[in-house]
Amino acid sequence: MGSFSSCSPYSASDSTGFFSRNGYSKVPVLVQWISTLKCDLNCQHCLSVSLDNGFTDMPLQAVVKLIDEITEMGVEEFLVTGGEPLARNDLPEIVDYLGFTEQNWTLNTAVMPSEYKRKTLTENSPGFVAVSLDGPREIHDSFRGRKGAWEEAIEAISFFKSLPGVRVCAGTTVTNINEQYLEETFQLVAASGADQWGIHLLVPEGRAAYRSDLFLSKRQLRRLIRFVARKRRYFNVELADEIGYLGNFEPLVRDFPLTCGAGKSQCVILPDGEVVPCTTLDRSFSAGNIHHRPLREIWENGFSKLRKYEPEGECSECMYFPACKSGCWLQRKNGKECFREIWHVPDSLKTAAGITVCLGALASGLSRGAEIRTAKSSDTLSSLFRAKQSEAGFQPVVFNPELTDGIIMNHYVELSAGYQSGILNSSLDRFDTEDPAWDVLSGFQHGILPQNITDRCELVMNALNTEYPSLSLAALLWRTLNEPLFEIENFSENEMEAFYSTLEALYRKTCQWRLVIFENRLDPYLRNERFTEPPFFMYSKAGPRPGDVERHYLTADLNIERWGTADDAQVITAEYLLEHPYADQMNLIFRSSDPGDIWMHSSSGREPLNTDIGGRYTMGIFNVIESDEDAVFLFEIMSIRGSEIPYGYESKLDDESFENYLSALIEVPVEGGRKYTYIDILRSAYHQQRDQILAITFQILSEAQMYDERNTDYMRGEILMNEALLWPGFREITGSGMDVSQYVDGSTDIEEIRSRAVKMDIDFWMF
C-alpha cells in the first residue's frame, strides 16, 4: 500500500541509469514511518493490529536520529502514518524537528488534530495530507468504530486545506460495506474541499486478514474500475496500487503505468525500527533494524529478492508479466496479487492500441501471433481523429480542470447537497468572462439558460470555441442542448434542424477535445524521454506536491522496457479511444421488429446503423436515427446477479457464474421516416411503459442502504444494459408533486428516495 508523492517510483531524479542497472533507486524516494499503533478508532480493517506486544513507540531521541539520517541521505519524502500518528503525545516535537531540518514530509490521518497539535502543524505543515473518509456519516462511523468519526474527518479536511501549500486528499478504502455508497461518497469528497480522492482496496493484513466478508467480488471490482474511469473526467480521482496492474484499462484510471515500488523506491520503518518493503507488520520481511544498522546500509544491501524478482507459478507463464511484474507486493505476499480476470478482455488485444498498452508489442513486433485489427477508414470516430491531425494551424487546447471541471463539479455538488447556488463555486469568479463558454457556465450555475432551443443551439455553438475545454464541459454542453427535449415533444422543423447540426458539431468537437486531452494522459504509456510535470492525480494516500517540475526518469525506463519507443502516439491514442468510446455506458441497445434498414443521420447524409452479431443496434448519445418503416424497437433492461464470493477467495479456474435475468422488456413504437434523437427514444419509452419503468426505478432507490457490521447478504443487482431508460423515472421522482404511494411502502423515507433520485439524475448528466 505504497504512498507516493511527487517522489513516485517514476521520478527518482538522482538515478537515471542507476535504477535501470540495479533494479532500485540509489536512495529510497519515499520512507514511510509507522509512528505508532495507537488509535482511538476501532476500524474493521485495521492494519496496525499486532498479535504480540513487541511494537512499542519509538523514543523521541531515536526519531530525531532517524530524521537526521533520511535528511542526510536525501530522501525526498518522509510519510508519517500509523495507527493514528496524531495519537503520539510528542508529535508536535517531531513536527517541529521536521521543520527545523526542512525535510519534506507528508501525513496520513483519520482524525482532527487537537488545538495544541494544530498550532505546530500550522507552523511546520506537511506538503500533503491524506484523511480517511469511507462514506456517508453512518457508514463511516460504523466502519471506523466510533460515533463522530465522520465529523472529525470532515473537520480535518477543512483544517488541513486551510494551511498554505498543503494538498489534501480524501482516502476511501472500498469494501463490501461501502462500495454501494461510492456515488454519495464522491459528492461528499467533492464538497469537503479535498483536492483529490484516493480509492484503495483492502489487503489481507491486520484485522482484514480475518474479514473475507469485507473484500469486493469480481462484479464489484469491475464496477469500481468503470466508476473511477468516469469520475476522473470531473475530479482528481485515481485507483491506488493495491489493485495492481489493469491492462489496457490502465490509462483510464491512472496517468502513469503502475509499478510496485516496494523495496525498490520505497520502504517502511516499523515502530520498533525494522525496515520492511511496504506497509506490513510482518517482521519476517525485514531487511534490518535502524537501531542496529544505518538506514543507508539497510537500503543498499536489502530487499535483494524483490529487486531481482523472477516470476513464479502462473506469473511465469503470463503474457502480461513484462508490464504487470506480479502487481502489488502486499497482495502478492498474501497470494492475492492477480486481478487479470477483472480487466482482461481478449478482443481488445486484437488492436494495435490494446497490444501497445498491455504488452508494448507494437515496437518490437508481435511475438505471440496476435492479430492486429486497425480501425477502418470508414469509422466515423477514426476519420474524425485523422482529420483533426491534418487541420492547418491547429493549436493544442488547454486542459484546466480547476476552471471548467471545478465549476461544473461544484455546481453538481451544490445541487446534490441542497446548498445555495454559488457557495462552492468561487472558481467561477476566476473564469474568463470573455471566453465563449462563460455564458453556458454562468447560466448553468444561476439557472438562467434559455428555454428556446434555437438560443441554446447558439450558446453551444459559441461555447465550442472555448479556450478551456474539458470532457465535463462537453457533457454540460450536451445537457444544455438536450434538456428541453425531456419536457417538450414538438419543436418546429427549423428548430430541430438547428438542433441536429449543433449536436453533430458538439460530437465532432468532443472527439477533438478528447483526443488531445487523453493523449496527454496516454503519452507516458507510449513515449520515451519526455519532460512532464508530476502526476496531477494521486497514486496512493500521498499525492504530488504542488510546484515540482522534473524529468520522470523511471517513467522513461519503464516506457523503454514495456512499450519500446512508439513514435505515433496520436494514431495509437485514436485507436485506443475507439476501444473505449465516450459515454458508452449511456448507449441504448435494441432490436427492431421490422427487417427494414435503420439509418444514422449526419451532415454528410445517411449511413446504415450497424448491428452486432446478435442482431442488436446500438444508439449513442450523439446519434440521430431513422427507420425506413413503422417499427417497434425492443429494449431489454438487463440486470445481473452473480457470485458474492470475495475476489481471490474462490478458485481462479472457475468462471464466475452469473445469473442474468430480464428486469423489463420495453417496447417503443417508431414512425417510418421520422428522425429520433436519444432523448426522443427515452421520452417515448417512458410514455409507453411509465409504470413498469417507475417500478424498477423505485426498487433501485428503495433497496436497503444500511449495513450492520456483519450483513453481507444484500447486494444490489447491477444494470448491465439500457439503464438510461430509467432516467426519466429518476427525473420525475426528483419533483415534489409526484404521488409515490403506489410504488413504496409506508416505512420508506420519501425525502431520502428523492435525494437519491437527484444524485442518480446528476450521475446520468455526468455520463
Side-chain angles (χ1 to χ4, degrees), residues 67-97:
I67 294 173
D68 285 339
E69 188 169 6
I70 65 167
T71 303
E72 185 273 331
M73 290 173 66
V75 172
E76 297 185 36
E77 178 185 356
F78 183 57
L79 171 63
V80 181
T81 183
E84 174 48 65
L86 294 178
R88 279 193 70 124
N89 293 329
D90 60 359
L91 186 68
E93 287 83 355
I94 295 172
V95 171
D96 285 343
Y97 196 71

PDB file of all heavy atoms in Angstrom, residues 67-97:
ATOM      1  N   ILE A  67      15.232  11.053  11.525  1.00  0.00           N
ATOM      2  CA  ILE A  67      15.005  12.219  10.660  1.00  0.00           C
ATOM      3  C   ILE A  67      16.337  12.768  10.159  1.00  0.00           C
ATOM      4  O   ILE A  67      16.482  13.136   8.979  1.00  0.00           O
ATOM      5  CB  ILE A  67      14.201  13.298  11.417  1.00  0.00           C
ATOM      6  CG1 ILE A  67      12.785  12.786  11.724  1.00  0.00           C
ATOM      7  CG2 ILE A  67      14.130  14.587  10.602  1.00  0.00           C
ATOM      8  CD1 ILE A  67      11.977  13.701  12.619  1.00  0.00           C
ATOM      9  N   ASP A  68      17.320  12.832  11.043  1.00  0.00           N
ATOM     10  CA  ASP A  68      18.651  13.291  10.611  1.00  0.00           C
ATOM     11  C   ASP A  68      19.193  12.400   9.494  1.00  0.00           C
ATOM     12  O   ASP A  68      19.781  12.893   8.513  1.00  0.00           O
ATOM     13  CB  ASP A  68      19.622  13.268  11.795  1.00  0.00           C
ATOM     14  CG  ASP A  68      19.396  14.415  12.763  1.00  0.00           C
ATOM     15  OD1 ASP A  68      18.785  15.417  12.351  1.00  0.00           O
ATOM     16  OD2 ASP A  68      19.824  14.287  13.929  1.00  0.00           O
ATOM     17  N   GLU A  69      18.983  11.105   9.639  1.00  0.00           N
ATOM     18  CA  GLU A  69      19.549  10.177   8.664  1.00  0.00           C
ATOM     19  C   GLU A  69      18.868  10.294   7.310  1.00  0.00           C
ATOM     20  O   GLU A  69      19.537  10.330   6.269  1.00  0.00           O
ATOM     21  CB  GLU A  69      19.453   8.746   9.193  1.00  0.00           C
ATOM     22  CG  GLU A  69      20.206   7.749   8.312  1.00  0.00           C
ATOM     23  CD  GLU A  69      20.361   6.386   8.951  1.00  0.00           C
ATOM     24  OE1 GLU A  69      19.781   6.161  10.035  1.00  0.00           O
ATOM     25  OE2 GLU A  69      21.060   5.550   8.353  1.00  0.00           O
ATOM     26  N   ILE A  70      17.548  10.351   7.296  1.00  0.00           N
ATOM     27  CA  ILE A  70      16.866  10.444   5.991  1.00  0.00           C
ATOM     28  C   ILE A  70      17.140  11.787   5.334  1.00  0.00           C
ATOM     29  O   ILE A  70      17.207  11.889   4.102  1.00  0.00           O
ATOM     30  CB  ILE A  70      15.351  10.190   6.121  1.00  0.00           C
ATOM     31  CG1 ILE A  70      14.683  11.287   6.952  1.00  0.00           C
ATOM     32  CG2 ILE A  70      15.051   8.819   6.688  1.00  0.00           C
ATOM     33  CD1 ILE A  70      13.171  11.268   6.853  1.00  0.00           C
ATOM     34  N   THR A  71      17.320  12.838   6.148  1.00  0.00           N
ATOM     35  CA  THR A  71      17.652  14.150   5.585  1.00  0.00           C
ATOM     36  C   THR A  71      19.040  14.121   4.959  1.00  0.00           C
ATOM     37  O   THR A  71      19.260  14.632   3.857  1.00  0.00           O
ATOM     38  CB  THR A  71      17.581  15.227   6.679  1.00  0.00           C
ATOM     39  OG1 THR A  71      16.286  15.237   7.272  1.00  0.00           O
ATOM     40  CG2 THR A  71      17.874  16.596   6.093  1.00  0.00           C
ATOM     41  N   GLU A  72      19.974  13.504   5.660  1.00  0.00           N
ATOM     42  CA  GLU A  72      21.343  13.393   5.135  1.00  0.00           C
ATOM     43  C   GLU A  72      21.380  12.545   3.871  1.00  0.00           C
ATOM     44  O   GLU A  72      22.140  12.831   2.936  1.00  0.00           O
ATOM     45  CB  GLU A  72      22.238  12.792   6.221  1.00  0.00           C
ATOM     46  CG  GLU A  72      23.725  12.731   5.852  1.00  0.00           C
ATOM     47  CD  GLU A  72      24.083  11.463   5.083  1.00  0.00           C
ATOM     48  OE1 GLU A  72      23.410  10.434   5.298  1.00  0.00           O
ATOM     49  OE2 GLU A  72      25.012  11.509   4.243  1.00  0.00           O
ATOM     50  N   MET A  73      20.564  11.495   3.805  1.00  0.00           N
ATOM     51  CA  MET A  73      20.524  10.624   2.628  1.00  0.00           C
ATOM     52  C   MET A  73      19.921  11.331   1.421  1.00  0.00           C
ATOM     53  O   MET A  73      20.186  10.966   0.281  1.00  0.00           O
ATOM     54  CB  MET A  73      19.708   9.363   2.932  1.00  0.00           C
ATOM     55  CG  MET A  73      20.372   8.394   3.893  1.00  0.00           C
ATOM     56  SD  MET A  73      19.255   7.033   4.346  1.00  0.00           S
ATOM     57  CE  MET A  73      19.071   6.192   2.758  1.00  0.00           C
ATOM     58  N   GLY A  74      19.080  12.327   1.658  1.00  0.00           N
ATOM     59  CA  GLY A  74      18.399  12.996   0.553  1.00  0.00           C
ATOM     60  C   GLY A  74      17.084  12.345   0.194  1.00  0.00           C
ATOM     61  O   GLY A  74      16.630  12.448  -0.959  1.00  0.00           O
ATOM     62  N   VAL A  75      16.435  11.696   1.157  1.00  0.00           N
ATOM     63  CA  VAL A  75      15.111  11.104   0.921  1.00  0.00           C
ATOM     64  C   VAL A  75      14.128  12.224   0.590  1.00  0.00           C
ATOM     65  O   VAL A  75      14.040  13.223   1.310  1.00  0.00           O
ATOM     66  CB  VAL A  75      14.639  10.313   2.153  1.00  0.00           C
ATOM     67  CG1 VAL A  75      13.191   9.865   1.990  1.00  0.00           C
ATOM     68  CG2 VAL A  75      15.550   9.111   2.387  1.00  0.00           C
ATOM     69  N   GLU A  76      13.381  12.050  -0.492  1.00  0.00           N
ATOM     70  CA  GLU A  76      12.537  13.136  -0.967  1.00  0.00           C
ATOM     71  C   GLU A  76      11.235  13.274  -0.195  1.00  0.00           C
ATOM     72  O   GLU A  76      10.651  14.358  -0.152  1.00  0.00           O
ATOM     73  CB  GLU A  76      12.239  12.952  -2.458  1.00  0.00           C
ATOM     74  CG  GLU A  76      13.484  13.025  -3.317  1.00  0.00           C
ATOM     75  CD  GLU A  76      13.156  12.975  -4.789  1.00  0.00           C
ATOM     76  OE1 GLU A  76      12.131  13.533  -5.200  1.00  0.00           O
ATOM     77  OE2 GLU A  76      13.918  12.355  -5.537  1.00  0.00           O
ATOM     78  N   GLU A  77      10.759  12.198   0.394  1.00  0.00           N
ATOM     79  CA  GLU A  77       9.502  12.284   1.145  1.00  0.00           C
ATOM     80  C   GLU A  77       9.558  11.374   2.360  1.00  0.00           C
ATOM     81  O   GLU A  77       9.968  10.216   2.286  1.00  0.00           O
ATOM     82  CB  GLU A  77       8.313  11.886   0.270  1.00  0.00           C
ATOM     83  CG  GLU A  77       6.996  11.927   1.038  1.00  0.00           C
ATOM     84  CD  GLU A  77       5.815  11.428   0.227  1.00  0.00           C
ATOM     85  OE1 GLU A  77       5.997  11.108  -0.964  1.00  0.00           O
ATOM     86  OE2 GLU A  77       4.715  11.343   0.792  1.00  0.00           O
ATOM     87  N   PHE A  78       9.109  11.921   3.489  1.00  0.00           N
ATOM     88  CA  PHE A  78       9.012  11.181   4.744  1.00  0.00           C
ATOM     89  C   PHE A  78       7.546  11.174   5.147  1.00  0.00           C
ATOM     90  O   PHE A  78       6.983  12.212   5.507  1.00  0.00           O
ATOM     91  CB  PHE A  78       9.867  11.853   5.814  1.00  0.00           C
ATOM     92  CG  PHE A  78       9.889  11.125   7.135  1.00  0.00           C
ATOM     93  CD1 PHE A  78      10.294   9.800   7.215  1.00  0.00           C
ATOM     94  CD2 PHE A  78       9.519  11.776   8.306  1.00  0.00           C
ATOM     95  CE1 PHE A  78      10.339   9.137   8.440  1.00  0.00           C
ATOM     96  CE2 PHE A  78       9.559  11.123   9.528  1.00  0.00           C
ATOM     97  CZ  PHE A  78       9.966   9.796   9.599  1.00  0.00           C
ATOM     98  N   LEU A  79       6.920  10.003   5.050  1.00  0.00           N
ATOM     99  CA  LEU A  79       5.488   9.879   5.329  1.00  0.00           C
ATOM    100  C   LEU A  79       5.282   9.390   6.757  1.00  0.00           C
ATOM    101  O   LEU A  79       5.780   8.333   7.141  1.00  0.00           O
ATOM    102  CB  LEU A  79       4.840   8.903   4.338  1.00  0.00           C
ATOM    103  CG  LEU A  79       3.392   8.494   4.631  1.00  0.00           C
ATOM    104  CD1 LEU A  79       2.465   9.695   4.561  1.00  0.00           C
ATOM    105  CD2 LEU A  79       2.940   7.413   3.658  1.00  0.00           C
ATOM    106  N   VAL A  80       4.538  10.151   7.531  1.00  0.00           N
ATOM    107  CA  VAL A  80       4.233   9.805   8.914  1.00  0.00           C
ATOM    108  C   VAL A  80       2.822   9.220   8.961  1.00  0.00           C
ATOM    109  O   VAL A  80       1.844   9.884   8.603  1.00  0.00           O
ATOM    110  CB  VAL A  80       4.328  11.038   9.834  1.00  0.00           C
ATOM    111  CG1 VAL A  80       4.018  10.651  11.280  1.00  0.00           C
ATOM    112  CG2 VAL A  80       5.710  11.672   9.733  1.00  0.00           C
ATOM    113  N   THR A  81       2.732   7.965   9.397  1.00  0.00           N
ATOM    114  CA  THR A  81       1.444   7.292   9.401  1.00  0.00           C
ATOM    115  C   THR A  81       1.318   6.469  10.678  1.00  0.00           C
ATOM    116  O   THR A  81       2.088   6.620  11.611  1.00  0.00           O
ATOM    117  CB  THR A  81       1.296   6.429   8.125  1.00  0.00           C
ATOM    118  OG1 THR A  81      -0.006   5.834   8.096  1.00  0.00           O
ATOM    119  CG2 THR A  81       2.354   5.345   8.045  1.00  0.00           C
ATOM    120  N   GLY A  82       0.339   5.567  10.739  1.00  0.00           N
ATOM    121  CA  GLY A  82       0.119   4.778  11.944  1.00  0.00           C
ATOM    122  C   GLY A  82      -0.585   3.481  11.619  1.00  0.00           C
ATOM    123  O   GLY A  82      -0.474   2.979  10.488  1.00  0.00           O
ATOM    124  N   GLY A  83      -1.341   2.966  12.584  1.00  0.00           N
ATOM    125  CA  GLY A  83      -2.098   3.576  13.657  1.00  0.00           C
ATOM    126  C   GLY A  83      -2.586   4.967  13.316  1.00  0.00           C
ATOM    127  O   GLY A  83      -2.838   5.329  12.187  1.00  0.00           O
ATOM    128  N   GLU A  84      -2.694   5.774  14.372  1.00  0.00           N
ATOM    129  CA  GLU A  84      -3.058   7.178  14.191  1.00  0.00           C
ATOM    130  C   GLU A  84      -1.899   8.025  14.680  1.00  0.00           C
ATOM    131  O   GLU A  84      -1.660   8.130  15.892  1.00  0.00           O
ATOM    132  CB  GLU A  84      -4.333   7.502  14.971  1.00  0.00           C
ATOM    133  CG  GLU A  84      -4.721   8.969  14.970  1.00  0.00           C
ATOM    134  CD  GLU A  84      -4.685   9.569  13.572  1.00  0.00           C
ATOM    135  OE1 GLU A  84      -5.500   9.144  12.723  1.00  0.00           O
ATOM    136  OE2 GLU A  84      -3.837  10.457  13.329  1.00  0.00           O
ATOM    137  N   PRO A  85      -1.125   8.618  13.773  1.00  0.00           N
ATOM    138  CA  PRO A  85       0.061   9.375  14.176  1.00  0.00           C
ATOM    139  C   PRO A  85      -0.256  10.517  15.142  1.00  0.00           C
ATOM    140  O   PRO A  85       0.581  10.877  15.971  1.00  0.00           O
ATOM    141  CB  PRO A  85       0.636   9.888  12.853  1.00  0.00           C
ATOM    142  CG  PRO A  85      -0.464   9.749  11.864  1.00  0.00           C
ATOM    143  CD  PRO A  85      -1.311   8.611  12.311  1.00  0.00           C
ATOM    144  N   LEU A  86      -1.464  11.080  15.047  1.00  0.00           N
ATOM    145  CA  LEU A  86      -1.816  12.167  15.950  1.00  0.00           C
ATOM    146  C   LEU A  86      -2.025  11.686  17.381  1.00  0.00           C
ATOM    147  O   LEU A  86      -2.192  12.492  18.294  1.00  0.00           O
ATOM    148  CB  LEU A  86      -3.077  12.882  15.445  1.00  0.00           C
ATOM    149  CG  LEU A  86      -2.913  13.630  14.116  1.00  0.00           C
ATOM    150  CD1 LEU A  86      -4.221  14.246  13.681  1.00  0.00           C
ATOM    151  CD2 LEU A  86      -1.839  14.686  14.226  1.00  0.00           C
ATOM    152  N   ALA A  87      -2.012  10.356  17.572  1.00  0.00           N
ATOM    153  CA  ALA A  87      -2.140   9.814  18.931  1.00  0.00           C
ATOM    154  C   ALA A  87      -0.827   9.911  19.703  1.00  0.00           C
ATOM    155  O   ALA A  87      -0.812   9.714  20.921  1.00  0.00           O
ATOM    156  CB  ALA A  87      -2.604   8.352  18.871  1.00  0.00           C
ATOM    157  N   ARG A  88       0.270  10.192  18.994  1.00  0.00           N
ATOM    158  CA  ARG A  88       1.562  10.357  19.699  1.00  0.00           C
ATOM    159  C   ARG A  88       1.570  11.699  20.425  1.00  0.00           C
ATOM    160  O   ARG A  88       1.401  12.755  19.797  1.00  0.00           O
ATOM    161  CB  ARG A  88       2.731  10.306  18.717  1.00  0.00           C
ATOM    162  CG  ARG A  88       3.154   8.911  18.327  1.00  0.00           C
ATOM    163  CD  ARG A  88       4.496   8.940  17.607  1.00  0.00           C
ATOM    164  NE  ARG A  88       5.609   9.273  18.493  1.00  0.00           N
ATOM    165  CZ  ARG A  88       6.692   8.527  18.663  1.00  0.00           C
ATOM    166  NH1 ARG A  88       6.811   7.374  18.008  1.00  0.00           N
ATOM    167  NH2 ARG A  88       7.667   8.912  19.466  1.00  0.00           N
ATOM    168  N   ASN A  89       1.804  11.669  21.732  1.00  0.00           N
ATOM    169  CA  ASN A  89       1.838  12.914  22.502  1.00  0.00           C
ATOM    170  C   ASN A  89       2.996  13.811  22.098  1.00  0.00           C
ATOM    171  O   ASN A  89       2.913  15.039  22.226  1.00  0.00           O
ATOM    172  CB  ASN A  89       1.924  12.601  24.004  1.00  0.00           C
ATOM    173  CG  ASN A  89       0.661  11.942  24.528  1.00  0.00           C
ATOM    174  OD1 ASN A  89      -0.430  12.204  24.028  1.00  0.00           O
ATOM    175  ND2 ASN A  89       0.814  11.076  25.523  1.00  0.00           N
ATOM    176  N   ASP A  90       4.091  13.196  21.603  1.00  0.00           N
ATOM    177  CA  ASP A  90       5.264  14.001  21.238  1.00  0.00           C
ATOM    178  C   ASP A  90       5.272  14.378  19.755  1.00  0.00           C
ATOM    179  O   ASP A  90       6.304  14.825  19.239  1.00  0.00           O
ATOM    180  CB  ASP A  90       6.556  13.269  21.601  1.00  0.00           C
ATOM    181  CG  ASP A  90       6.684  11.914  20.887  1.00  0.00           C
ATOM    182  OD1 ASP A  90       5.765  11.550  20.130  1.00  0.00           O
ATOM    183  OD2 ASP A  90       7.704  11.224  21.103  1.00  0.00           O
ATOM    184  N   LEU A  91       4.142  14.212  19.071  1.00  0.00           N
ATOM    185  CA  LEU A  91       4.118  14.558  17.644  1.00  0.00           C
ATOM    186  C   LEU A  91       4.493  16.022  17.398  1.00  0.00           C
ATOM    187  O   LEU A  91       5.206  16.316  16.431  1.00  0.00           O
ATOM    188  CB  LEU A  91       2.746  14.247  17.031  1.00  0.00           C
ATOM    189  CG  LEU A  91       2.682  14.445  15.520  1.00  0.00           C
ATOM    190  CD1 LEU A  91       3.527  13.412  14.785  1.00  0.00           C
ATOM    191  CD2 LEU A  91       1.236  14.385  15.009  1.00  0.00           C
ATOM    192  N   PRO A  92       4.057  16.980  18.226  1.00  0.00           N
ATOM    193  CA  PRO A  92       4.485  18.369  17.986  1.00  0.00           C
ATOM    194  C   PRO A  92       6.002  18.530  17.968  1.00  0.00           C
ATOM    195  O   PRO A  92       6.538  19.277  17.133  1.00  0.00           O
ATOM    196  CB  PRO A  92       3.846  19.132  19.161  1.00  0.00           C
ATOM    197  CG  PRO A  92       2.626  18.345  19.493  1.00  0.00           C
ATOM    198  CD  PRO A  92       3.046  16.908  19.303  1.00  0.00           C
ATOM    199  N   GLU A  93       6.715  17.844  18.870  1.00  0.00           N
ATOM    200  CA  GLU A  93       8.167  17.933  18.873  1.00  0.00           C
ATOM    201  C   GLU A  93       8.751  17.337  17.593  1.00  0.00           C
ATOM    202  O   GLU A  93       9.729  17.870  17.021  1.00  0.00           O
ATOM    203  CB  GLU A  93       8.744  17.198  20.094  1.00  0.00           C
ATOM    204  CG  GLU A  93       8.526  17.919  21.418  1.00  0.00           C
ATOM    205  CD  GLU A  93       7.150  17.645  22.021  1.00  0.00           C
ATOM    206  OE1 GLU A  93       6.328  16.971  21.362  1.00  0.00           O
ATOM    207  OE2 GLU A  93       6.899  18.115  23.157  1.00  0.00           O
ATOM    208  N   ILE A  94       8.164  16.250  17.129  1.00  0.00           N
ATOM    209  CA  ILE A  94       8.624  15.613  15.887  1.00  0.00           C
ATOM    210  C   ILE A  94       8.395  16.544  14.703  1.00  0.00           C
ATOM    211  O   ILE A  94       9.275  16.728  13.843  1.00  0.00           O
ATOM    212  CB  ILE A  94       7.900  14.272  15.679  1.00  0.00           C
ATOM    213  CG1 ILE A  94       8.287  13.289  16.787  1.00  0.00           C
ATOM    214  CG2 ILE A  94       8.221  13.687  14.302  1.00  0.00           C
ATOM    215  CD1 ILE A  94       7.474  12.011  16.788  1.00  0.00           C
ATOM    216  N   VAL A  95       7.216  17.155  14.664  1.00  0.00           N
ATOM    217  CA  VAL A  95       6.883  18.071  13.567  1.00  0.00           C
ATOM    218  C   VAL A  95       7.812  19.285  13.596  1.00  0.00           C
ATOM    219  O   VAL A  95       8.291  19.757  12.545  1.00  0.00           O
ATOM    220  CB  VAL A  95       5.404  18.495  13.653  1.00  0.00           C
ATOM    221  CG1 VAL A  95       5.104  19.617  12.663  1.00  0.00           C
ATOM    222  CG2 VAL A  95       4.494  17.304  13.388  1.00  0.00           C
ATOM    223  N   ASP A  96       8.074  19.797  14.792  1.00  0.00           N
ATOM    224  CA  ASP A  96       8.986  20.942  14.893  1.00  0.00           C
ATOM    225  C   ASP A  96      10.371  20.579  14.365  1.00  0.00           C
ATOM    226  O   ASP A  96      11.021  21.390  13.688  1.00  0.00           O
ATOM    227  CB  ASP A  96       9.097  21.396  16.358  1.00  0.00           C
ATOM    228  CG  ASP A  96       7.869  22.158  16.819  1.00  0.00           C
ATOM    229  OD1 ASP A  96       7.097  22.606  15.957  1.00  0.00           O
ATOM    230  OD2 ASP A  96       7.677  22.282  18.045  1.00  0.00           O
ATOM    231  N   TYR A  97      10.813  19.367  14.655  1.00  0.00           N
ATOM    232  CA  TYR A  97      12.143  18.974  14.198  1.00  0.00           C
ATOM    233  C   TYR A  97      12.162  18.770  12.676  1.00  0.00           C
ATOM    234  O   TYR A  97      13.165  19.096  12.023  1.00  0.00           O
ATOM    235  CB  TYR A  97      12.618  17.712  14.913  1.00  0.00           C
ATOM    236  CG  TYR A  97      14.099  17.487  14.759  1.00  0.00           C
ATOM    237  CD1 TYR A  97      15.012  18.309  15.424  1.00  0.00           C
ATOM    238  CD2 TYR A  97      14.597  16.487  13.932  1.00  0.00           C
ATOM    239  CE1 TYR A  97      16.378  18.132  15.269  1.00  0.00           C
ATOM    240  CE2 TYR A  97      15.969  16.299  13.771  1.00  0.00           C
ATOM    241  CZ  TYR A  97      16.852  17.133  14.439  1.00  0.00           C
ATOM    242  OH  TYR A  97      18.206  16.971  14.284  1.00  0.00           O
TER     243      TYR A  97
END
